[in-house]
Amino acid sequence: MNAPVEDRREEWEGPVPVPTGATEPFWEATLEGDLLFQECDCGNRQLYPRAVCTDCGAEDPPFEESEGVGTIYTYTVCHVPGEPGFGDRTPYVVGAIELAEGPRLLAMIDADPDDLEVGTPVAVRFWRISDEAAMPVFVPE
Amino acid sequence: MAEPILAGVAESDLGETPDRNWLDNAAIATVRALEDAGCALEEVDGVAVAGGNDYMPALILSEYLDLEEPSFLEGTEIGGSSFEHFCGHVRDAMARDEADVVVVAYGSTGKTGPGRDQSLEVTHPVDGFVRPTGLFRPPGAYAMAARRHMHEYGTTEKQLAEIAVATREWASMNPKAAQQEPITVDDVLESRQIAEPFNLLDCCLVSDGGGAVVLVSEEKARELGVPPISVAGVASTSTHRQDISEMPDMTTTGAAVTGPKAFEQAGITHDDVDVAQLYDSFTYTALVTLEDLGFCEKGEGGEFVSGGTTAPGGELPMNTQGGGLSYCHPGHFGVFVLIEAVRQLRGDYTGERQVDDAEVAVAHGTGGILSSSSTVVLRREA
Ligand SMILES: [Zn+2]
């Protein structure tokens, strides 16, 4: 897939993920512009990454690459910053993205709120916010 | 089965308590609730605590109150619905003769206390997916659920605002309520934007304070001579926790499961319910809970609350103390819905504030981010 990865390390003042255990492969892939989800041998697909399959209980379900597209299941426009370091960004959009593969992912949406509605098709980009991780950010397709 | 009796209820001081910590407020609420029940501290043989910003809160409160060998200890943390959840465990414990006098307590310094200071290293890995998005939680997460409800059912901001207006009307009769000035739908719609579609007046207050409920066995209740307000039904569940996008269906909460169970246990239908005390962290929380408990059809909550249905004089009096929206909200509001349900069933109030001859109340707690649901049916026994 290889979506664009924009380096935002200099300007980022918000929290950054700490890759550990089951989330390590996910964050590693983000640096290359790849969005991963877990697809178990039983067919269950899940995100965020976990050490077990939530359907059959298999340990360490393998990762698959997402197409990086989906639709907005719902969203909000934050007028109050939810984290220190987000003060200058308000208002900003956060949504729940329903990926084409099924799993839902909470993510930033980089768009004018007026251009958005529930169901809007979106595609992933990445903002690299630390040496170890790039956050998925969705834009209208 | 023997049903526990809600013998005493009380709040600590509410609003700002800069000289108290959560434990002080929980303990103050406890001794006041015991006084309300006419019961001595030394008679307490059970403690259930949630929400204290501490490890092992039941042990801490037991020590603080210098309880002697309490036989019932509960500290299950399922957020704002913990106290409703405890009612079921207390019922089971009393059926086993394990305890006679159990204190369910909560305290907080949500307003003046220290803010959160957590690094992502020490929190759940899912936080690495949630916190860097900057989502303002909890309001933004609830707002996302509300937006989905609007999308699926055509619910409007104006309908949500009606809940805040009706709740404020109740608060105007409660001297303990933080906000007592009546408001209009336009006031809500024109208040500061927080997380769309929520404005400031769609959101609960932030307060310090605590609350406590004393549950006693039937035998003890007779001894104390308190009005027999019983726990007639209780059920709990959860759907997710940290991340709102993990909620299986963002327009349906666990109340759809716990409501029918609790109603069935109590042997009641919706027509029997005289007063509802439903967790209202946000206007939407109350709206979706009304639907999920079955007071109206799914998706018709907006229509249901329009025109003062839940206001004084309305068909279903709801959050008659002013709710989390106008009275207080120290964090885990669940203990306060129980307190008000008991007061209404005892007929503690006068005039319009008192729901006429209330015999059956529903108290519903919601915890996390619409994550946990616990329903209690309370009944004034003959
Ligand atoms: Zn599996």
Side-chain angles (χ1 to χ4, degrees), chain B residues 28-370:
Chain B
I28 289 168
T30 297
V31 294
R32 290 182 186 175
L34 285 164
E35 190 187 355
D36 186 51
C39 190
L41 187 53
E42 64 186 30
E43 292 174 89
V44 173
D45 58 5
V47 180
V49 189
N53 305 319
D54 253 305
Y55 188 46
M56 300 190 246
L59 303 191
I60 291 170
L61 185 63
S62 298
E63 177 192 280
Y64 188 106
L65 297 173
D66 196 17
L67 300 184
E68 206 172 310
E69 296 166 8
S71 48
F72 177 80
L73 295 157
E74 240 289 23
T76 304
E77 181 57 72
I78 57 168
S81 77
S82 301
F83 315 96
E84 286 71 29
H85 183 60
F86 292 155
C87 287
H89 290 194
V90 171
R91 178 184 61 187
D92 299 344
M94 286 186 177
R96 291 193 304 269
D97 285 328
E98 198 175 291
D100 266 326
V101 180
V102 177
V103 168
V104 171
Y106 175 69
S108 147
T109 51
K111 186 159 190 187
T112 62
R116 76 176 162 189
D117 180 25
Q118 294 176 308
S119 72
L120 286 179
E121 288 93 322
V122 300
T123 56
H124 190 285
V126 68
D127 281 353
F129 292 80
V130 175
R131 285 190 49 200
T133 67
L135 180 64
F136 182 35
R137 289 185 299 163
Y142 280 81
M144 282 166 61
R147 165 97 64 195
R148 184 72 197 181
H149 198 278
M150 290 170 155
H151 171 77
E152 287 189 25
Y153 300 113
T155 310
T156 65
E157 291 184 39
K158 194 167 167 286
Q159 289 170 332
L160 291 174
E162 294 249 16
I163 291 175
V165 171
T167 309
R168 182 64 64 85
E169 224 182 305
W170 285 110
S172 72
M173 295 184 270
N174 181 3
K176 290 179 190 163
Q179 301 289 339
Q180 298 174 32
E181 276 293 301
I183 52 171
T184 64
V185 165
D186 283 344
D187 288 336
V188 181
L189 299 180
E190 286 160 17
S191 61
R192 187 159 63 90
Q193 288 183 306
I194 300 295
E196 294 177 34
F198 290 161
N199 299 308
L200 183 66
L201 295 178
D202 285 297
C203 306
C204 63
L205 307 154
V206 179
S207 319
D208 295 340
V213 176
V214 179
L215 291 130
V216 304
S217 61
E218 280 181 303
E219 193 185 352
K220 188 74 187 175
R222 276 194 295 275
E223 195 184 300
L224 295 170
V226 295
I229 312 298
S230 73
V231 173
V234 51
S236 293
T237 194
S238 74
T239 51
H240 66 291
R241 166 58 188 122
Q242 301 276 79
D243 181 1
I244 189 73
S245 69
E246 288 292 319
M247 188 171 181
D249 171 356
M250 245 184 252
T251 60
T252 303
T253 70
V257 173
T258 61
K261 279 191 192 169
F263 278 46
E264 194 191 339
Q265 280 173 33
I268 62 155
T269 68
H270 296 88
D271 288 342
D272 297 318
V273 177
D274 299 304
V275 59
Q277 311 295 347
L278 311 184
Y279 204 102
D280 60 342
S281 44
F282 300 92
T283 48
Y284 175 70
T285 319
L287 181 133
V288 73
T289 305
L290 282 166
E291 289 181 355
D292 291 341
L293 291 179
F295 286 103
C296 60
E297 292 296 315
K298 190 72 214 168
E300 288 176 10
E303 208 174 305
F304 182 78
V305 299
S306 297
T309 309
T310 63
E315 189 188 316
L316 182 67
M318 179 177 86
N319 300 346
T320 54
Q321 81 289 59
L325 294 170
S326 290
Y327 148 67
C328 75
H329 199 294
H332 282 24
F333 188 68
V335 74
F336 300 98
V337 303
L338 287 170
I339 291 170
E340 181 66 6
V342 169
R343 287 176 173 160
Q344 285 289 356
L345 295 181
R346 294 196 308 209
D348 281 4
Y349 302 116
T350 56
E352 215 185 357
R353 174 92 194 270
Q354 176 63 47
V355 174
D356 280 343
D357 197 31
E359 274 185 35
V360 174
V362 171
H364 181 86
T366 305
I369 298 169
L370 293 166

Side-chain angles (χ1 to χ4, degrees), chain A residues 40-44 53-58 61:
Chain A
C40 181
D41 293 340
C42 78
N44 179 47
C53 168
T54 61
D55 240 31
C56 74

Side-chain angles (χ1 to χ4, degrees), chain A residues 48-137:
Chain A
Y48 48 94
R50 295 160 222 208
V52 297
C53 168
T54 61
D55 240 31
C56 74
E59 294 180 24
D60 296 317
F63 284 89
E64 291 292 328
E65 218 172 277
S66 164
E67 291 290 321
V69 295
T71 55
I72 297 177
Y73 179 78
T74 185
Y75 67 100
T76 184
V77 185
C78 292
H79 291 263
V80 176
E83 292 288 338
F86 274 70
D88 295 341
R89 313 169 77 88
T90 57
Y92 55 88
V93 189
V94 181
I97 309 303
E98 199 147 75
L99 295 176
E101 293 85 3
R104 249 186 252 150
L105 178 66
L106 188 80
M108 296 185 275
I109 298 177
D110 188 23
D112 185 330
D114 293 340
D115 297 338
L116 302 176
E117 55 186 57
V118 172
T120 298
V122 288
V124 76
R125 304 275 179 276
F126 290 92
W127 290 356
R128 185 166 187 177
I129 59 172
S130 76
D131 291 347
E132 296 172 305
M135 284 304 288
V137 181

